[in-house]
Amino acid sequence: MTVRGDNGNDQGEQESIVVPGLVHRVFPSLHIVLCLAAISLGAAYLVGNFVAWFANSFMHELGFQLPSLLIGWPLQALLLVVIGYMNLKSGRAISRGDAWAYSSSLYMNAVTGVILLTIGPLGLLPAVGVFALVLALFAPSVKSYWYREFREDMGPRGKELRFSFHLLRRSPLVIVGILIVAGYISVAFLAPWITPYGPEERIWNDANLAPGTPAGEAKANSLILFSNYSADISIYPEYTRGEVQVGPEEVTTSLPPIIAFSGYVRDTGNDNLTNVLVHTAVYKLNLTTFDSLSPSLRELYLVKSVEKAMLSRPNIEVNNSPSTYVWVVWFVASNKTVPWIVDTVVTLDYNRYYPIHYWGTDNSGGDIYSRIIWAAQVDLRVSLSVVLVALASGALIGAASGYFGGKLDEMVMRITDIFFAFPGLILAMAIVMALGTRNLENISYALMITWWPVYARVVRGQVLSEREKLYVEAARSIGASDSRILLSHIIPNTIQPLIVQATMDTGGVLLTAAGLSFIGFGSAAGTAEWGLMISQGQYYLLNYPWECMFPGVAILMIALALNLVGDGIRDILDPKLRRRG
Amino acid sequence: MSQSQDLVLSIKGLTTNFYTYEGVVKALDGIELSLKRGDTMGVVGETGCGKSVTAKCVLRLIEPPGRIDGGQILFYDRDPKTGETQETDIVQLTPLEMLSIRGNRIAIVFQDPATYPNPVFRIGAQIAEVVTLHQDLGREALEVRIKELEESLKNSPSPEHQAKIREQIEHYVSMLENPPKPDRKYARKAAWAKAVDMLRLVRMPSPDQIANQYPHELSGGMRQRALIAMALACNPSILICDEATTALDVTVQAQVLNLLNILKKEIGASILIITHDLGVVAETCNSVTVMYAGTTVESAGTKQLFENPVHPYTIGLLTAIPKLHENKERLDQIPGTVPNLINPPTGCRFHPRCAFATDICVSDRPSLEEVLPGHYVACHHPQGNL
Amino acid sequence: MKLRDFILRRVLLAIPVIFGVLTITWFLSYVVGDPLAMFITERTNPAAIPGIIQDHGFNEPLVIQYFLYLRTLLAGDWGVSYSTGGDLPVLTVIARKFPATIELAIVAMVFAVILGVPLGILSATRKDKPIDHFTRVFSLAGVSMPIFWFALLLKYVLFYQFSVWGLPYLPSGDRVDNELWKTVLHNGVGYDFTSSITGFVLVDSLLYGQPILFGDAVLHLIMPGFCLGYLTLAIITRMMRSSMLEVMKEDYITLARSKGLTERIVIYRHALRNALIPTVTVIGLAFGGLMSGAVLTETIFNWPGLGRWATQAILVSDMAAINGFVLLVAFIFVSANLIVDLTYGALDPRIRYG
Ligand SMILES: Nc1ncnc2c1ncn2[C@@H]1O[C@H](COP(=O)(O)OP(=O)(O)OP(=O)(O)O)[C@@H](O)[C@H]1O
Ligand code: SF4
Ligand SMILES: [Mg+2]
């Protein structure tokens, strides 16, 4: 079966399109199964969330723990159930052979797939199935069923779209905005490869360095050679020891590698720090020889001693050939109560270099450049997830409210009125406060709750005007269900203002989240997050201004870019401005 | 066309283009039109043929991306006092000079009474605005002042006071012959009074009250009358009605047209009526110009045109309506569709739809010729009784 | 008659919103959060605790708690804030700190309107000219600006760098120079809630008849005022520009032109009045933005208003303070919108009588 071109469409309307094939028989049942899976998954998440919340708040003492697999974002789960249900209806229509259901299930499958993908680990499998369904819709025999109708829907839109792209190409500011946003996103993804330091890594000796200073302390790639957490030591005095191999790859580097040892001793029975004398050493030695030495002789080999239970890092340069090294820890404690525990890690540092702190360091020696880039991941994730969830739920609520009208509409509008009575930042503040824990997660939830009414309003307005237009062709679409009309006629037409709103809001949410973080709602100190970085930098503003200037510029740039894009797109899509020469 | 003395407007070869993304829209391509003093001329044509653009050109209201690219719009303005006629080419005027013509010598009434009045100003204020702008209200302001003084004379308590007022009245009456520049307050009052007069002129019920209302409080017909009052407020030489009646229902439409005919006599303006509706033309106009795709195709007296249409397009237009007095728009009866003005047909723009078209129609543009006395046609193969 | 009905209808419409606001704060503080924390602090007399629990019905079902919550709010018992030093009733703190915030917000709003409206008009009437491009970038920067960062930037440049360069510099924070006030007023406390008359420092300094103090207050207001107002300024400029552009395409502008009015009159009389209508709505909404901004700005400029109080409360989890603040801001916002609605009616006759 082939799809006919434009001319064919104009003339031979009566021609029957398709002979049902295998795909046609398999497709509906597969569709229904996957929709059911999506619904039950959504329901499971909803229940799981509720149980987890319940368990956390009421049954904490019982030690009840829900498998984390079942805990996902409640709003997404709810959406999944709703969309899944509507999609199920169109699946049933497909099995009856209604051609319209194919094209509406295309939209719905796409939405379901995206939600499934973002909801959590369990969503992955059904998501693959759903995307397979979307692909199956393009199988020649299925496609011809709905393709003509789909084209009728999309035809004029396609032309408009091409014109939009033309206008887009002629507005340099929008292009710049898009480039900046794309730059931020790719930088966020590439963070591990383009940053010399980790997000929370700090070099205390390098604190408050000006931009462009080379690091005072060498930075090395490191390889964990040995790690043993919680080795029990019960004999006094005692040493723990081990043996590691440094291979040829690590040794053939520009600078001689270094083996570092870190150990941490705890007295499990005593909350207070015990006075422990720890001797540690890493050296090239035959273990059996070492074992046979007398304790005082052994002590001779040990290079460094540290009082109290704490970290110690003796660095040993490794010879220029692969070899085996031995490390030893030696403890002397004054008052030992119960068994001690020692955590030991032996790392090999190689490829050492002194990276330049391009944008300086903060007061605790974090590299600002690296932290800003890592923070892009955090901030973009927060703002995108907030906008996506708020948009999806708001759009659905708004669409239903506008489409069904009446009491539902009245109620939804009153509720949005109430939400609009609070400035965004302040409602979010109250919500985070009520939730109790201050972290970015809760900020995200709070902002989602704060932001959905915006989209509900936008979509409702659009739906109302679209519905007016639709009454005209209502006769034509007899038999089409509400969900189909909503999803394949109305929602696509409301997409344009939604895109604009969402683009600008991504910037707005980012600013609000950073603001919340700034006043102390964000995650724990030390997390790489722009608002928090500014908040910590403000105390050093006068002497080390770069500590808060650079993160601020980062926020400003991305918000500016998003606004440029949103603004530009709005101008481009505005029918009143469109025809200008 | 003849340069006869009684012309008031003469458009020659007017060309207007819109420079849009899709291309250059050649909206007007050599329009010819002449309006005699005291005449009512109808301009008819299918939608999109450039009637409104022509009207806007006459007032120089074309905005970017549009531009007048050629031709002349000659306006013969007769000074009401001296009776001298003065020729101006509107296309050549500077924007500043244009201001004294717009709304004053040439006025326009637009199609949609719902969107044209400014929603936030009272009707009276909007009319008074034109009056203050274009008229020297010296005399009227004095009259208002005198009237007020006479009012207070009646209520005045003491004879001394009365004498004082009388003195003032005499002073102002003596100034009536040669009025000075009016002071602001009285000018405003005079303008308002004039606005109310104008509303009365257009047969508005209770004009005092209407003047104090906002546009949205009036019905469509009333709003349209208010717009007409606004246009007529400065006794213009030419009144252009761009589909002034299309948005109204049939009875109101008849009333407004009637009103226009009466007012024309009272004020002595020439009227240009732009419409789709041949019925309106037959009832109100003495001459007609037919436009097609940005060109003038035929122009003649109403009677002559209806009885003996010469241009194939006009013939199609007229046969499309079974009876002259039936109020119906049936212009779409001519086969084919209105051409795209970005790439208009070569030669005669009507040739793709014309039953009489020959090779010359495809290659050569017909010029407007006088085929009968006072009957102009642009066609290589004129039909009808010649 | 119609105007009164209009006002009445608007006021009545605000009532369910206020109820919704109360319900949300109740839900957040009583159902999700811990209501006890609002009324009981470390310093509360242990003997009084059972009485407090009884009064607020914390051992009653939620529905009853809701009504008791409304009752206590109406009775003026908004809880006890412990982040202000001693335990003070929330309403007392609000009464002391409110004028500072409102004064700042008004100054910011005045900045925004005075600069924003003309800039918007200028930009719309000179579309695609350099001034338009400048205005667009300026206002776009305003909506994209992290306000807390902008405040730090201003402080760094206008206070620190200017003083380093030996230029006249603006004070880095605070409402007034307290030493100056002490010497001028000879009262030993400077300017605080005991020595203030109206709470508005600009007014008070004039009431004391001290131009020096007035100048001092103005100097202290410039930076925080501009910083807080920049976002609003940007929003107003953008709105003004776009609505002006939209209005200029309307039919009634063509009509106005066809009357022979000059472009100036067409713009300033016919277009401006119409373009102001959507702008006024935006001004109302922007008031909420000012309140959010105040939280950030006041913290940085050490402004003794509600915003700084709220941030301090956040740091020590002072539930009562946060709740009181949120509730108050919502009330301010609702009333600002009400006022805007009424102004709207005055500007647009269609609404008034609609
Ligand atoms: N601003 C503009 N931009 C581009 N093209 C325009 C513009 N204004 C008018 N046109 C074009 O000029 C042509 C004439 O338009 P005009 O409004 O004069 O038609 P009309 O004869 O008045 O039609 P109607 O009877 O529907 O009012 C149309 O084809 C239109 O496409
Ligand atoms: S010129 Fe030719 S095509 Fe044009 S109207 Fe006359 S006959 Fe028809
Ligand atoms: Mg027209």
Side-chain angles (χ1 to χ4, degrees), chain B residues 256-313:
Chain B
V256 172
L257 287 171
N258 239 343
L259 181 71
L260 279 181
N261 263 341
I262 297 167
L263 291 179
K264 186 178 80 175
K265 279 171 209 133
E266 286 181 17
I267 291 176
S270 318
I271 301 185
L272 206 59
I273 290 186
I274 295 176
T275 178
H276 302 275
D277 191 337
L278 290 173
V280 169
V281 175
E283 277 173 29
T284 48
C285 304
N286 359 43
S287 60
V288 190
T289 293
V290 184
M291 284 178 61
Y292 181 77
T295 57
T296 307
V297 294
E298 187 163 6
S299 172
T302 311
K303 197 148 176 271
Q304 185 155 10
L305 188 105
F306 276 87
E307 280 169 5
N308 183 19
V310 172
H311 194 278
Y313 174 67

Coordinates of all heavy atoms in Angstrom, one line a residue, chain B residues 256-313:
Chain B
V256 N -28.8 54.4 6.8 CA -27.6 55.1 6.7 C -27.4 55.7 5.3 O -26.9 56.8 5.1 CB -26.4 54.2 7.1 CG1 -25.1 54.9 6.8 CG2 -26.5 53.9 8.5
L257 N -27.7 54.9 4.3 CA -27.5 55.3 2.9 C -28.4 56.5 2.6 O -28.0 57.5 2.0 CB -27.9 54.2 1.9 CG -26.8 53.1 1.9 CD1 -27.3 51.9 1.1 CD2 -25.5 53.6 1.3
N258 N -29.6 56.4 3.1 CA -30.6 57.5 2.9 C -30.0 58.8 3.5 O -29.9 59.9 2.9 CB -31.8 57.2 3.7 CG -33.0 57.2 2.8 OD1 -32.9 57.8 1.7 ND2 -34.1 56.7 3.2
L259 N -29.4 58.6 4.7 CA -28.8 59.7 5.4 C -27.7 60.3 4.6 O -27.6 61.6 4.5 CB -28.3 59.2 6.7 CG -27.7 60.2 7.6 CD1 -28.7 61.1 8.2 CD2 -26.9 59.5 8.7
L260 N -26.9 59.5 4.0 CA -25.8 60.0 3.2 C -26.3 60.8 2.1 O -25.7 61.9 1.8 CB -24.9 58.8 2.7 CG -24.0 58.2 3.6 CD1 -23.2 57.1 3.0 CD2 -23.0 59.2 4.1
N261 N -27.3 60.4 1.4 CA -27.8 61.1 0.3 C -28.3 62.5 0.7 O -28.1 63.5 0.0 CB -28.9 60.3 -0.4 CG -28.4 59.6 -1.6 OD1 -27.3 59.9 -2.1 ND2 -29.1 58.5 -2.1
I262 N -29.0 62.5 1.8 CA -29.6 63.8 2.3 C -28.4 64.7 2.7 O -28.4 65.9 2.4 CB -30.5 63.5 3.5 CG1 -31.7 62.7 3.1 CG2 -31.0 64.8 4.1 CD1 -32.5 62.1 4.2
L263 N -27.5 64.1 3.4 CA -26.4 64.9 3.9 C -25.5 65.5 2.8 O -25.0 66.6 2.9 CB -25.4 64.1 4.8 CG -26.1 63.7 6.2 CD1 -25.1 62.8 6.9 CD2 -26.4 64.9 7.0
K264 N -25.4 64.7 1.7 CA -24.6 65.2 0.6 C -25.2 66.6 0.2 O -24.5 67.5 -0.1 CB -24.7 64.2 -0.5 CG -23.8 64.6 -1.7 CD -23.8 63.5 -2.7 CE -25.1 63.7 -3.6 NZ -25.1 62.8 -4.7
K265 N -26.5 66.6 0.1 CA -27.1 67.9 -0.3 C -26.9 69.0 0.7 O -26.6 70.1 0.4 CB -28.6 67.6 -0.6 CG -28.9 67.0 -1.9 CD -30.3 66.6 -2.1 CE -30.4 65.4 -3.1 NZ -31.2 64.4 -2.6
E266 N -27.1 68.6 2.0 CA -26.9 69.6 3.0 C -25.5 70.2 3.1 O -25.3 71.4 3.3 CB -27.3 69.0 4.4 CG -28.8 68.8 4.6 CD -29.1 68.2 5.9 OE1 -28.2 68.3 6.8 OE2 -30.2 67.7 6.1
I267 N -24.5 69.3 2.9 CA -23.1 69.7 3.1 C -22.4 70.1 1.8 O -21.5 70.9 1.7 CB -22.4 68.7 3.8 CG1 -22.9 68.6 5.3 CG2 -20.9 68.9 3.9 CD1 -22.3 67.5 6.1
G268 N -22.9 69.5 0.7 CA -22.3 69.7 -0.6 C -21.0 69.0 -0.8 O -20.1 69.5 -1.5
A269 N -20.9 67.8 -0.2 CA -19.7 67.0 -0.4 C -19.8 66.1 -1.6 O -20.9 65.8 -2.0 CB -19.3 66.2 0.8
S270 N -18.7 65.6 -2.1 CA -18.8 64.5 -3.1 C -18.5 63.3 -2.3 O -17.7 63.3 -1.4 CB -17.7 64.7 -4.1 OG -17.6 66.1 -4.5
I271 N -19.1 62.2 -2.7 CA -19.0 61.0 -1.9 C -18.5 59.9 -2.8 O -18.9 59.7 -4.0 CB -20.4 60.6 -1.4 CG1 -20.9 61.7 -0.5 CG2 -20.2 59.3 -0.5 CD1 -22.2 61.4 0.2
L272 N -17.6 59.1 -2.2 CA -17.0 57.9 -2.9 C -17.5 56.7 -2.1 O -17.1 56.6 -0.9 CB -15.5 58.0 -2.9 CG -14.7 57.3 -4.0 CD1 -15.1 57.8 -5.3 CD2 -13.2 57.5 -3.7
I273 N -18.4 55.9 -2.7 CA -18.9 54.8 -1.9 C -18.2 53.5 -2.4 O -18.4 53.1 -3.6 CB -20.4 54.7 -2.1 CG1 -21.1 55.8 -1.3 CG2 -20.9 53.4 -1.5 CD1 -22.6 55.8 -1.3
I274 N -17.5 52.8 -1.5 CA -16.9 51.6 -1.8 C -17.7 50.5 -1.3 O -18.1 50.4 -0.2 CB -15.5 51.5 -1.2 CG1 -14.6 52.7 -1.7 CG2 -14.9 50.2 -1.4 CD1 -13.3 52.7 -1.1
T275 N -18.1 49.5 -2.2 CA -19.0 48.5 -1.8 C -18.9 47.3 -2.7 O -18.3 47.3 -3.8 CB -20.4 49.0 -1.7 OG1 -21.3 47.9 -1.4 CG2 -20.8 49.5 -3.1
H276 N -19.4 46.1 -2.2 CA -19.5 45.0 -3.0 C -20.9 45.0 -3.6 O -21.2 44.2 -4.5 CB -19.5 43.7 -2.2 CG -18.3 43.4 -1.4 ND1 -17.2 42.8 -2.0 CD2 -18.0 43.6 -0.2 CE1 -16.3 42.7 -1.1 NE2 -16.8 43.1 0.1
D277 N -21.8 45.8 -3.1 CA -23.2 45.6 -3.2 C -23.7 46.4 -4.3 O -23.8 47.7 -4.2 CB -23.9 45.9 -1.9 CG -25.3 45.5 -1.9 OD1 -25.9 45.3 -3.0 OD2 -25.8 45.3 -0.8
L278 N -24.0 45.8 -5.5 CA -24.5 46.6 -6.6 C -25.8 47.2 -6.4 O -26.1 48.3 -6.9 CB -24.6 45.6 -7.8 CG -23.2 45.2 -8.3 CD1 -23.3 44.2 -9.4 CD2 -22.4 46.4 -8.8
G279 N -26.6 46.6 -5.5 CA -27.9 47.3 -5.1 C -27.7 48.6 -4.5 O -28.3 49.6 -4.9
V280 N -26.7 48.7 -3.6 CA -26.4 50.0 -3.0 C -26.0 51.0 -4.1 O -26.4 52.2 -4.1 CB -25.2 49.8 -2.0 CG1 -24.7 51.2 -1.6 CG2 -25.7 49.0 -0.8
V281 N -25.2 50.6 -5.0 CA -24.7 51.4 -6.1 C -25.9 52.0 -6.9 O -26.0 53.2 -7.1 CB -23.7 50.7 -7.0 CG1 -23.3 51.5 -8.2 CG2 -22.5 50.3 -6.2
A282 N -26.8 51.0 -7.3 CA -27.9 51.4 -8.1 C -28.8 52.4 -7.4 O -29.3 53.4 -8.0 CB -28.7 50.2 -8.5
E283 N -28.9 52.3 -6.1 CA -29.8 53.2 -5.4 C -29.2 54.6 -5.1 O -29.9 55.6 -5.1 CB -30.2 52.6 -4.1 CG -31.3 51.6 -4.2 CD -31.6 50.9 -3.0 OE1 -31.4 51.5 -1.9 OE2 -32.1 49.7 -3.0
T284 N -27.9 54.6 -4.9 CA -27.3 55.9 -4.3 C -26.3 56.6 -5.2 O -26.1 57.7 -5.0 CB -26.6 55.6 -3.0 OG1 -25.7 54.5 -3.2 CG2 -27.5 55.3 -1.9
C285 N -25.8 55.9 -6.2 CA -24.7 56.6 -6.9 C -25.1 57.1 -8.3 O -26.0 56.5 -8.9 CB -23.5 55.6 -7.2 SG -23.0 54.9 -5.6
N286 N -24.5 58.2 -8.7 CA -24.7 58.6 -10.1 C -23.7 58.0 -11.1 O -23.9 58.0 -12.3 CB -24.8 60.1 -10.4 CG -24.6 60.9 -9.1 OD1 -23.8 60.6 -8.3 ND2 -25.5 61.9 -9.0
S287 N -22.5 57.6 -10.6 CA -21.6 57.0 -11.5 C -20.9 55.9 -10.8 O -20.9 55.8 -9.6 CB -20.5 58.0 -12.0 OG -19.9 58.6 -10.9
V288 N -20.3 55.0 -11.6 CA -19.7 53.8 -11.0 C -18.3 53.6 -11.6 O -18.1 53.8 -12.8 CB -20.5 52.5 -11.3 CG1 -20.0 51.3 -10.6 CG2 -22.0 52.8 -11.1
T289 N -17.3 53.1 -10.8 CA -16.1 52.7 -11.3 C -15.9 51.2 -10.9 O -16.1 50.9 -9.8 CB -14.9 53.5 -10.7 OG1 -15.0 54.8 -11.2 CG2 -13.6 52.9 -11.2
V290 N -15.6 50.4 -11.9 CA -15.5 48.9 -11.6 C -14.0 48.6 -11.5 O -13.2 49.0 -12.4 CB -16.1 48.1 -12.6 CG1 -16.0 46.6 -12.3 CG2 -17.6 48.5 -12.8
M291 N -13.5 48.0 -10.5 CA -12.1 47.6 -10.3 C -12.0 46.1 -10.4 O -12.8 45.4 -10.0 CB -11.6 48.1 -9.0 CG -11.3 49.6 -8.9 SD -10.8 50.1 -7.3 CE -9.3 49.2 -7.2
Y292 N -10.8 45.7 -11.0 CA -10.5 44.3 -11.0 C -9.0 44.1 -10.8 O -8.2 44.6 -11.5 CB -10.9 43.6 -12.3 CG -10.6 42.2 -12.3 CD1 -11.5 41.3 -11.6 CD2 -9.5 41.7 -12.9 CE1 -11.2 40.0 -11.6 CE2 -9.2 40.3 -12.9 CZ -10.0 39.5 -12.2 OH -9.8 38.1 -12.1
A293 N -8.7 43.4 -9.7 CA -7.3 43.0 -9.4 C -6.4 44.2 -9.5 O -5.3 44.2 -10.2 CB -6.8 41.9 -10.3
G294 N -6.7 45.3 -8.9 CA -5.8 46.4 -8.8 C -5.8 47.3 -10.1 O -4.9 48.2 -10.2
T295 N -6.8 47.1 -11.0 CA -6.9 48.0 -12.1 C -8.3 48.5 -12.3 O -9.2 47.8 -11.8 CB -6.5 47.3 -13.4 OG1 -7.4 46.1 -13.6 CG2 -5.1 46.8 -13.4
T296 N -8.4 49.7 -12.9 CA -9.8 50.1 -13.2 C -10.2 49.5 -14.6 O -9.4 49.5 -15.5 CB -9.8 51.6 -13.4 OG1 -9.2 52.2 -12.3 CG2 -11.2 52.2 -13.6
V297 N -11.4 48.8 -14.6 CA -11.7 48.2 -15.9 C -12.8 49.0 -16.6 O -12.9 49.0 -17.8 CB -12.1 46.7 -15.7 CG1 -10.9 45.9 -15.3 CG2 -13.3 46.6 -14.7
E298 N -13.7 49.6 -15.9 CA -14.8 50.3 -16.5 C -15.3 51.5 -15.6 O -15.3 51.3 -14.4 CB -16.0 49.4 -16.8 CG -17.0 50.0 -17.7 CD -18.0 49.0 -18.3 OE1 -17.8 47.8 -18.0 OE2 -18.8 49.4 -19.1
S299 N -15.7 52.5 -16.3 CA -16.2 53.7 -15.5 C -17.3 54.4 -16.3 O -17.0 54.7 -17.4 CB -15.0 54.6 -15.1 OG -15.5 55.8 -14.6
A300 N -18.4 54.6 -15.7 CA -19.5 55.2 -16.5 C -20.6 55.7 -15.5 O -20.5 55.4 -14.3 CB -20.1 54.3 -17.5
G301 N -21.6 56.4 -16.0 CA -22.7 56.7 -15.2 C -23.5 55.5 -14.8 O -23.4 54.5 -15.5
T302 N -24.1 55.5 -13.7 CA -24.8 54.3 -13.1 C -25.7 53.7 -14.1 O -25.7 52.5 -14.4 CB -25.5 54.7 -11.8 OG1 -24.7 55.4 -11.0 CG2 -26.0 53.4 -11.1
K303 N -26.6 54.6 -14.6 CA -27.6 54.1 -15.5 C -27.0 53.4 -16.7 O -27.3 52.3 -17.1 CB -28.5 55.3 -15.9 CG -29.8 54.9 -16.5 CD -30.9 55.9 -16.2 CE -32.2 55.6 -16.9 NZ -32.3 56.2 -18.2
Q304 N -26.1 54.1 -17.3 CA -25.4 53.6 -18.5 C -24.7 52.3 -18.3 O -24.9 51.4 -19.0 CB -24.4 54.7 -19.0 CG -23.8 54.3 -20.3 CD -23.2 55.5 -21.0 OE1 -23.2 56.6 -20.4 NE2 -22.9 55.3 -22.2
L305 N -24.1 52.2 -17.1 CA -23.3 51.0 -16.9 C -24.2 49.8 -16.6 O -24.0 48.7 -17.1 CB -22.4 51.2 -15.6 CG -21.5 50.1 -15.4 CD1 -20.1 50.5 -15.8 CD2 -21.5 49.6 -14.0
F306 N -25.3 50.1 -15.9 CA -26.2 49.0 -15.7 C -26.9 48.5 -16.9 O -27.2 47.4 -17.1 CB -27.2 49.3 -14.6 CG -26.7 49.2 -13.2 CD1 -26.0 50.2 -12.6 CD2 -26.9 47.9 -12.5 CE1 -25.4 50.0 -11.3 CE2 -26.3 47.7 -11.3 CZ -25.6 48.8 -10.7
E307 N -27.2 49.5 -17.8 CA -28.0 49.1 -19.0 C -27.1 48.6 -20.1 O -27.5 47.7 -20.8 CB -28.7 50.4 -19.5 CG -30.0 50.6 -18.8 CD -30.6 52.0 -19.1 OE1 -30.1 52.7 -20.0 OE2 -31.6 52.3 -18.4
N308 N -25.9 49.2 -20.2 CA -25.0 48.8 -21.3 C -23.6 48.5 -20.8 O -22.7 49.3 -21.0 CB -25.0 49.9 -22.3 CG -24.2 49.5 -23.5 OD1 -23.9 48.3 -23.7 ND2 -23.8 50.5 -24.3
P309 N -23.4 47.4 -20.0 CA -22.0 47.1 -19.6 C -21.2 46.7 -20.8 O -21.7 46.0 -21.6 CB -22.2 46.0 -18.6 CG -23.5 45.3 -19.0 CD -24.4 46.4 -19.6
V310 N -20.0 47.2 -20.8 CA -19.1 46.9 -21.9 C -18.0 46.0 -21.6 O -17.6 45.1 -22.4 CB -18.6 48.3 -22.4 CG1 -17.5 48.1 -23.5 CG2 -19.7 49.2 -23.0
H311 N -17.4 46.1 -20.4 CA -16.3 45.2 -20.1 C -16.8 43.8 -19.7 O -17.8 43.7 -19.0 CB -15.5 45.8 -18.9 CG -14.2 45.2 -18.7 ND1 -14.0 44.0 -18.1 CD2 -13.0 45.6 -19.2 CE1 -12.7 43.7 -18.0 NE2 -12.1 44.7 -18.7
P312 N -16.1 42.8 -20.2 CA -16.6 41.4 -19.9 C -16.8 41.1 -18.4 O -17.7 40.4 -18.0 CB -15.5 40.5 -20.5 CG -14.9 41.3 -21.6 CD -15.0 42.8 -21.2
Y313 N -15.9 41.7 -17.6 CA -15.9 41.5 -16.2 C -17.2 42.1 -15.6 O -17.9 41.5 -14.8 CB -14.7 42.1 -15.5 CG -14.8 42.0 -14.0 CD1 -14.8 40.8 -13.3 CD2 -14.9 43.2 -13.2 CE1 -14.8 40.7 -12.0 CE2 -15.0 43.1 -11.8 CZ -15.0 41.9 -11.2 OH -15.1 41.8 -9.9

